Amino acid sequence: MKKLLSLPENLVKQFHELEQVSSNDFFCASDPSGTKVGSGGGTAHLLHQSWLNDNTQQSLDQWLSQEQRIIIHAGGQSRRLPAYGPSGKILTPIPVFRWEQGQRLDQNLLELQLPLYEQILQKAPNSLNTLVASGDVLIRASENLTNIPEADIVCIGIWTSPEKATNHGVFFCKRHTSSDLEFMLQKPSPEAIQSHTSDHLFLMDIGIWLLSSKALKILMQRSGWNTSLDQFNNRQVSYYDLYGTFGPAMGLHPNEKDDEINKLSVKIITLPNGEFYHYGTSKELIDSTEIIQNQVVDQRNIWQRRVKPHPSMFVQNAITDIELKSDHHHLWIENSHLGHRWQLSHHHIITGIPNNNWNLKLAPENCLDMVPIHDQEVCIRPYGFFDKFNGTLAGGAQWLGTPLKNWLQLKGITLEEAELDPETDIQLAPLFPVTKQPEEKLIQWMLDPTDHSPEIKKIWLSSKRLSAADLNDQANLIRLYAQRDQYRCMNWPLLAKNYRKSVFFQVNLEAAAQDFARNNMELPAPLAEHEEAILRIKDEMFKARVTSLKNGNGQIHEQNAFNILRETIVDTVKNKPALPQLNVYEDQIIWGRSPVRFDLAGGWTDTAPFCLTHGGRVVNLAVELNGQPPLQVYVKPTSEFKIVFRSIDLGLKEEITTYEELANFAQVGSAFSIPKAALCLCGFHPDYAAIQYPSLIQQLKALGAGVELSLLAAIPKGSGLGTSSILAATVLGTLSDFLNLNWDQAEVCHRTLALEQLLTTGGGWQDQYGGILPGLKLLQTDPGIHQQPVARWLPDHLFTRPEFHNCMLLYYTGITRTAKNILAEIVRGMFLNSTTHLRILQEMKQHALNTFDTIQKGNYQLLADHVRHSWNLNQQLDAGTNPPEVQQVLSQISDYTLGHKLLGAGGGGYLFIMAKDIVAASKIKRILEENPPNQRARFVDFALSNDGFQVTRS
């Protein structure tokens, strides 16, 4: 998926170096110099330049239909947001959201925009391969997008009021066919919108359009493309407005006539709980950021424990030696140093200020920007908070909140002295002095209307001066970024030291570790042992990553992190010691058995530490295989005071007589690790027992019998069906009955979580709950160390009625992949607040809720779509989930499936297939039976289990 960016010309030259991104992923170009081409012409020009850059033998028409691409228009002059004109509004630094985890301290608008655009394009039909968006907005959706329909064009809108919609394009749809565009209006008045609401719904255009190659070809032609010549007429793109001209010609009853556009099919979809934030002006920069920052007010979901003096105050990549107070509102300080003698008021944007000891006073609405020019020079740019940098001097264009001609009069400067033409657009007026060493007297003179110093006036007049347009063209962005990086690196130790009141432990710690390692910064001081476990875990994993990047040796810190997690979970059961008592007659056998589980959506969100900080959400079902629960445990008393383990399926036996032998459950290759650890947790080890005994034999004598425990796992290891976790829960549940421990299902499943930590396999809670609890259900937890899922059962007819069940197939691929190594890598990403990991996991959580709703509606095809998306999300989290051997299987049957996924962590084991219909299911069976990937591969019958875990006695 390639990103095509329309950027200011100066930024194009430096973008890849600044952002450290590959030219294979990002193509940048600017609009043709000296001419306006409009959003449509700009799109055509950008596509043409990218096509030329690819140096392909294909015609442009052929090329347009090939790859997926995201087009972002971000090439404006940024007149109303001067601070980020030189580096482009799309690279505006955005503060870390105080309620979010995994964001980067150096994140920018582009970085926050892309995930949604990529998600939309991933869900779009193959025919809609190009997404067009605006570069000065941030659009968020708190829910996952639904499926995107087939059409020539799909536009995305959000619900809003007529008063807000009037500043944008507006889509109108009939109330009974709300996905079909009737017509589009550009910036209609509220009254015009109201006039259509009796029989139409309206949505605000947020600038995200999906275009087919057919629609793109028409857009290219309207922009002057000559298909027969494969070039623009006169070799120059023509002006064309995508939103203002193409848009009004779309729909079933368009307002503009254009036969080709009129015939295009256009669908409108609503962004679920969509949020639209504009970053087009200085005011919007602060207002939009403030709204986002205060979107979450529940203090339990906000990590930092610092309350700012005012919510509209933002400081990042900066050193401030002054005390900020509540009257310093609407304040933005970025990439700057403010010494202790600075005096601020309100409505300031301060950017690019180098290290200084100035005595500066900023009046309300004064803003100050320093832009590096060439190798050593700096341009001083003061301006007013509400300045628009629009209009001519003669027309009253404003600077510093007053008409420029008034400022000149106050300073006693004529237009001739300043070499200013009254008809010059203020964006082109040379107002900003360039110097190697900025002087505070010159800065204060420009800001203070009462300062009439003739000496400073002479300095200003004699200085080399640049216009705002010149600054955009001549800024040395490498120097600008270097200064920002320097300030950020100065911030890191302070953020780490004040972690309780800062965002340190909620940011992307991988990115932080790279900064620490690259700049050879000292590791933060150790956290106290009484500190919250999750902070200590993240601290150790962060230090492991820094150490690894520096010298390749971070194993000690990483092991500390996993140990803290393990001890935290295990301590929750150590605090509840067990008192085992024999609860059978001497000739009785306790028989426990459990189904396995299929995970449909939300897998991985149940895994610590993610679920501890975010809660988890999983949809799964308990299933029997070939007519029986495949996991079975038999426990009986024996006359000899020892513990005997047997594995019926493996044909193995082991006898235990000491605590040491029983506690050796982590031994590599042991067939009886699970029952050993289970018996320890049941009180047959001093660490977990309510009563202490000198030896295991003495404890068994006190019990009155030895214990013989037999296991039957009629399912291969690495199957992806939660085998080991459910087997552990079955052992614990059966022993609870045998030993009169009276553990309910929640306690059995929680102790299973502890058991897996003891075995160092890790894991979450969905496997054991998925098998122990019957049926089809949504399992959900809140954040916290003690995870107690709440189950919400679902109607099961999609899995029981023949017309649906017979379309579902379970295929054992014969390819196994144990989850331990996969788990460790993904958990490491969770510890480090990996932006990518957390974004995918959050999408998985929402996807589980969407799947829950779909099952309630009884929609088989939509459920298949959800299963397919679950599989895609698993692959995004771990690319190894779909190995070549599995892909070979899938490629044989893809024409007959609606959805499929490898169950569990993926990579092998069981493949769940949802066929298009019963005929397709038969074809799938025939194909794979005739062409199996190996001798072990086979189809297995499955049925929903309405019993879950059962325990009975003879």
Side-chain angles (χ1 to χ4, degrees):
M1 189 181 299
K2 194 157 188 174
K3 276 70 76 174
L4 278 57
L5 307 181
S6 177
L7 302 174
E9 187 174 353
N10 187 43
L11 177 57
V12 169
K13 306 169 190 172
Q14 307 175 67
F15 177 83
H16 293 94
E17 182 178 354
L18 293 171
E19 288 298 300
Q20 296 291 297
V21 294
S22 167
S23 57
N24 293 327
D25 297 326
F26 287 85
F27 172 78
C28 306
S30 56
D31 287 345
S33 179
T35 180
K36 289 186 176 182
V37 295
S39 54
T43 301
H45 175 72
L46 190 56
L47 286 166
H48 177 237
Q49 293 298 303
S50 181
W51 172 64
L52 291 176
N53 184 72
D54 281 358
N55 197 26
T56 177
Q57 298 302 310
Q58 297 174 312
S59 69
L60 186 131
D61 278 4
Q62 293 170 324
W63 178 85
L64 285 174
S65 62
Q66 294 303 308
E67 65 178 358
Q68 286 189 316
R69 59 186 73 87
I70 295 170
I71 293 176
I72 302 179
H73 289 292
Q77 295 180 322
S78 194
R79 292 178 180 236
R80 297 182 298 161
L81 182 56
Y84 297 106
S87 58
K89 284 186 284 190
I90 198 168
L91 298 184
T92 299
I94 304 297
V96 170
F97 303 161
R98 63 192 187 122
W99 42 265
E100 185 70 282
Q101 290 185 53
Q103 294 190 328
R104 297 165 58 97
L105 205 60
D106 60 344
Q107 69 187 6
N108 55 42
L109 189 55
L110 174 62
E111 186 174 333
L112 296 179
Q113 288 175 332
L114 280 175
L116 177 63
Y117 300 159
E118 291 170 341
Q119 184 189 118
I120 291 170
L121 207 47
Q122 285 166 358
K123 293 187 176 182
N126 293 334
S127 60
L128 292 167
N129 65 338
T130 300
L131 181 148
V132 180
S134 173
D136 63 353
V137 298
L138 176 59
I139 297 164
R140 292 171 44 81
S142 57
E143 296 181 22
N144 292 350
L145 271 172
T146 54
N147 286 349
I148 296 172
E150 285 276 6
D152 295 318
I153 300 174
V154 171
C155 299
I156 301 178
I158 60 172
W159 303 112
T160 190
S161 66
E163 290 72 27
K164 187 170 183 179
T166 191
N167 296 314
H168 303 270
V170 181
F171 303 123
F172 290 87
C173 307
K174 287 289 187 182
R175 288 183 172 270
H176 60 280
T177 53
S178 59
S179 64
D180 294 326
L181 178 69
E182 284 287 311
F183 56 90
M184 179 186 183
L185 298 180
Q186 268 299 324
K187 299 184 178 180
S189 67
E191 293 74 22
I193 295 174
Q194 293 283 9
S195 70
H196 294 291
T197 56
S198 60
D199 53 357
H200 288 84
L201 299 171
F202 71 91
L203 292 101
M204 186 177 86
D205 178 17
I206 55 177
I208 301 178
W209 290 19
L210 288 162
L211 304 174
S212 65
S213 56
K214 179 180 177 182
L216 283 174
K217 290 171 186 176
I218 296 174
L219 176 61
M220 294 294 297
Q221 291 167 7
R222 296 299 177 274
S223 303
W225 183 254
N226 189 317
T227 303
S228 60
L229 297 176
D230 232 11
Q231 66 181 35
F232 288 110
N233 293 321
N234 302 319
R235 298 186 179 275
Q236 176 65 54
V237 64
S238 303
Y239 179 89
Y240 190 74
D241 191 346
L242 177 67
Y243 301 107
T245 306
F246 195 107
M250 299 188 312
L252 298 174
H253 298 94
N255 285 335
E256 299 293 333
K257 183 172 177 56
D258 183 314
D259 289 342
E260 287 188 292
I261 299 176
N262 296 161
K263 292 176 183 177
L264 293 174
S265 59
V266 184
K267 296 287 185 180
I268 305 297
I269 61 172
T270 306
L271 191 67
N273 288 331
E275 303 162 19
F276 179 88
Y277 303 99
H278 207 182
Y279 281 82
T281 70
S282 296
K283 183 176 185 299
E284 288 172 342
L285 174 70
I286 293 178
D287 288 351
S288 292
T289 306
E290 182 182 0
I291 294 170
I292 295 172
Q293 289 287 2
N294 293 287
Q295 200 176 57
V296 175
V297 294
D298 187 337
Q299 296 165 33
R300 293 169 297 181
N301 296 325
I302 300 172
W303 277 51
Q304 62 184 93
R305 301 176 186 178
R306 171 178 172 263
V307 178
K308 294 191 294 185
H310 197 280
S312 65
M313 179 185 296
F314 302 101
V315 181
Q316 57 179 328
N317 309 313
I319 302 297
T320 55
D321 299 327
I322 58 173
E323 181 183 359
L324 298 176
K325 300 179 180 179
S326 59
D327 54 353
H328 296 139
H329 58 88
H330 291 84
L331 179 65
W332 182 278
I333 303 172
E334 194 273 322
N335 189 13
S336 296
H337 171 233
L338 273 62
H340 69 278
R341 297 194 298 164
W342 282 61
Q343 299 176 59
L344 304 182
S345 181
H346 58 83
H347 286 85
H348 303 311
I349 294 180
I350 303 169
T351 50
I353 310 300
N355 185 49
N356 66 86
N357 189 31
W358 300 332
N359 182 12
L360 280 182
K361 181 178 181 180
L362 270 64
E365 299 179 15
N366 278 177
C367 301
L368 185 60
D369 184 22
M370 301 267 179
V371 183
I373 302 295
H374 307 306
D375 292 334
Q376 297 180 332
E377 296 175 314
V378 174
C379 187
I380 304 168
R381 172 166 51 181
Y383 59 96
F385 188 84
F386 295 101
D387 287 355
K388 296 180 180 179
F389 281 89
N390 194 24
T392 63
L393 279 60
Q398 289 204 332
W399 182 39
L400 288 166
T402 188
L404 174 55
K405 57 187 178 184
N406 290 2
W407 183 88
L408 292 169
Q409 289 172 1
L410 286 169
K411 298 298 183 183
I413 299 173
T414 66
L415 291 174
E416 292 76 12
E417 284 180 295
E419 298 179 349
L420 295 173
D421 183 338
E423 299 304 321
T424 298
D425 187 310
I426 191 171
Q427 180 76 359
L428 306 176
L431 302 174
F432 310 115
V434 176
T435 177
K436 287 188 176 180
Q437 189 64 45
E439 294 286 342
E440 67 178 84
K441 290 182 180 179
L442 175 59
I443 300 168
Q444 194 68 67
W445 176 84
M446 295 171 74
L447 289 168
D448 185 354
T450 65
D451 189 340
H452 307 300
S453 168
E455 295 178 359
I456 307 301
K457 169 185 169 181
K458 288 180 181 178
I459 293 174
W460 185 82
L461 285 171
S462 62
S463 295
K464 171 187 174 183
R465 283 176 279 123
L466 299 178
S467 67
D470 293 332
L471 281 178
N472 291 350
D473 292 339
Q474 299 181 33
N476 186 326
L477 302 179
I478 304 298
R479 283 178 58 200
L480 186 149
Y481 264 56
Q483 178 175 289
R484 179 179 289 152
D485 290 347
Q486 181 182 15
Y487 283 136
R488 188 179 70 255
C489 290
M490 293 169 70
N491 288 162
W492 276 127
L494 299 173
L495 292 171
K497 182 179 179 180
N498 299 300
Y499 63 90
R500 285 183 174 275
K501 294 184 178 181
S502 78
V503 298
F504 185 78
F505 282 119
Q506 73 186 74
V507 299
N508 183 320
L509 292 172
E510 168 67 31
Q514 291 176 8
D515 268 359
F516 269 73
R518 184 169 50 248
N519 295 280
N520 200 29
M521 288 187 262
E522 290 186 12
L523 291 176
L527 298 191
E529 288 194 8
H530 65 262
E531 188 54 89
E532 293 176 55
I534 195 66
L535 295 184
R536 292 170 55 217
I537 292 168
K538 289 181 180 294
D539 179 58
E540 290 289 352
M541 192 58 78
F542 166 72
K543 289 171 178 171
R545 188 61 183 134
V546 175
T547 308
S548 177
L549 289 168
K550 282 185 174 181
N551 55 36
N553 185 16
Q555 290 91 337
I556 294 176
H557 285 295
E558 181 168 312
Q559 193 56 52
N560 288 344
F562 281 104
N563 287 342
I564 295 168
L565 176 62
R566 184 174 304 113
E567 290 166 6
T568 300
I569 293 175
V570 171
D571 282 349
T572 62
V573 299
K574 279 187 177 180
N575 294 333
K576 296 185 290 184
L579 181 61
Q581 297 174 316
L582 203 60
N583 188 34
V584 293
Y585 293 108
E586 62 181 17
D587 61 344
Q588 274 191 312
I589 297 176
I590 304 297
W591 176 29
R593 55 228 181 259
S594 295
V596 287
R597 67 96 187 95
F598 288 4
D599 60 311
L600 300 181
W604 288 113
T605 71
D606 64 307
T607 306
F610 179 82
C611 62
L612 306 183
T613 54
H614 296 81
R617 197 181 286 147
V618 177
V619 175
N620 64 23
L621 63 155
V623 294
E624 296 180 353
L625 303 181
N626 293 327
Q628 65 175 350
L631 303 175
Q632 307 198 15
V633 177
Y634 307 87
V635 186
K636 68 177 183 178
T638 65
S639 57
E640 294 184 79
F641 297 114
K642 60 184 177 181
I643 295 172
V644 179
F645 296 126
R646 299 180 189 276
S647 172
I648 297 172
D649 52 295
L650 297 177
L652 298 175
K653 174 184 176 183
E654 186 174 344
E655 296 184 355
I656 301 292
T657 57
T658 67
Y659 286 134
E660 290 75 20
E661 291 173 323
L662 198 62
N664 192 22
F665 42 72
Q667 180 181 359
V668 176
S670 172
F672 301 108
S673 294
I674 288 174
K676 286 180 182 179
L679 276 166
C680 287
L681 292 175
C682 289
F684 285 96
H685 190 278
D687 287 349
Y688 308 95
I691 298 177
Q692 305 293 306
Y693 293 93
S695 69
L696 178 59
I697 291 176
Q698 289 294 101
Q699 184 170 1
L700 291 171
K701 287 180 178 178
L703 182 72
V707 178
E708 181 175 317
L709 188 151
S710 299
L711 303 173
L712 172 61
I715 191 167
K717 187 178 181 181
S719 65
L721 301 184
T723 306
S724 59
S725 300
I726 300 171
L727 179 61
T730 308
V731 171
L732 285 167
T734 306
L735 286 172
S736 172
D737 190 282
F738 180 79
L739 298 170
N740 200 33
L741 295 171
N742 296 314
W743 291 338
D744 61 14
Q745 291 173 329
E747 185 64 25
V748 167
C749 290
H750 179 70
R751 288 186 179 254
T752 302
L753 195 66
L755 183 150
E756 292 188 309
Q757 289 295 331
L758 288 174
L759 298 183
T760 71
T761 54
W765 42 255
Q766 82 131 321
D767 292 345
Q768 55 264 36
Y769 274 96
I772 295 298
L773 299 181
L776 176 63
K777 62 270 181 189
L778 169 71
L779 299 166
Q780 194 166 352
T781 63
D782 291 326
I785 292 296
H786 202 97
Q787 292 281 289
Q788 293 183 303
V790 173
R792 295 162 66 186
W793 270 270
L794 283 154
D796 59 18
H797 63 273
L798 287 177
F799 291 87
T800 55
R801 289 184 184 172
E803 65 267 31
F804 299 124
H805 181 75
N806 291 342
C807 295
M808 298 179 182
L809 302 171
L810 183 64
Y811 185 65
Y812 179 58
T813 64
I815 304 161
T816 59
R817 183 187 187 204
T818 54
K820 182 174 180 179
N821 292 336
I822 314 168
L823 183 70
E825 184 59 36
I826 292 174
V827 166
R828 189 177 292 111
M830 295 177 187
F831 280 142
L832 291 171
N833 300 333
S834 160
T835 305
T836 302
H837 283 82
L838 295 185
R839 178 178 56 79
I840 296 169
L841 287 162
Q842 290 287 16
E843 186 177 350
M844 285 176 162
K845 267 188 72 177
Q846 181 59 45
H847 179 60
L849 205 56
N850 294 347
T851 304
F852 173 78
D853 290 339
T854 293
I855 295 172
Q856 285 185 314
K857 295 171 184 174
N859 189 321
Y860 176 84
Q861 183 161 345
L862 194 52
L863 175 59
D865 289 339
H866 287 314
V867 167
R868 185 179 65 249
H869 187 53
S870 290
W871 171 233
N872 290 335
L873 288 171
N874 281 2
Q875 292 176 77
Q876 289 177 38
L877 200 60
D878 170 35
T881 294
N882 187 4
E885 304 95 317
V886 171
Q887 188 54 47
Q888 288 176 6
V889 173
L890 295 174
S891 63
Q892 296 181 67
I893 62 173
S894 59
D895 290 342
Y896 306 106
T897 66
L898 290 174
H900 54 257
K901 76 181 292 285
L902 284 173
L903 298 167
Y910 279 88
L911 176 65
F912 178 56
I913 304 166
M914 298 182 71
K916 292 180 177 178
D917 50 40
I918 294 176
V919 173
S922 299
K923 290 180 179 178
I924 291 169
K925 291 191 74 170
R926 190 188 73 248
I927 290 169
L928 294 183
E929 284 172 348
E930 292 176 355
N931 303 282
N934 51 64
Q935 293 182 343
R936 299 177 300 279
R938 59 192 180 271
F939 284 96
V940 177
D941 291 335
F942 74 91
L944 187 72
S945 169
N946 291 316
D947 299 314
F949 169 65
Q950 302 172 76
V951 62
T952 54
R953 55 183 60 208
S954 59

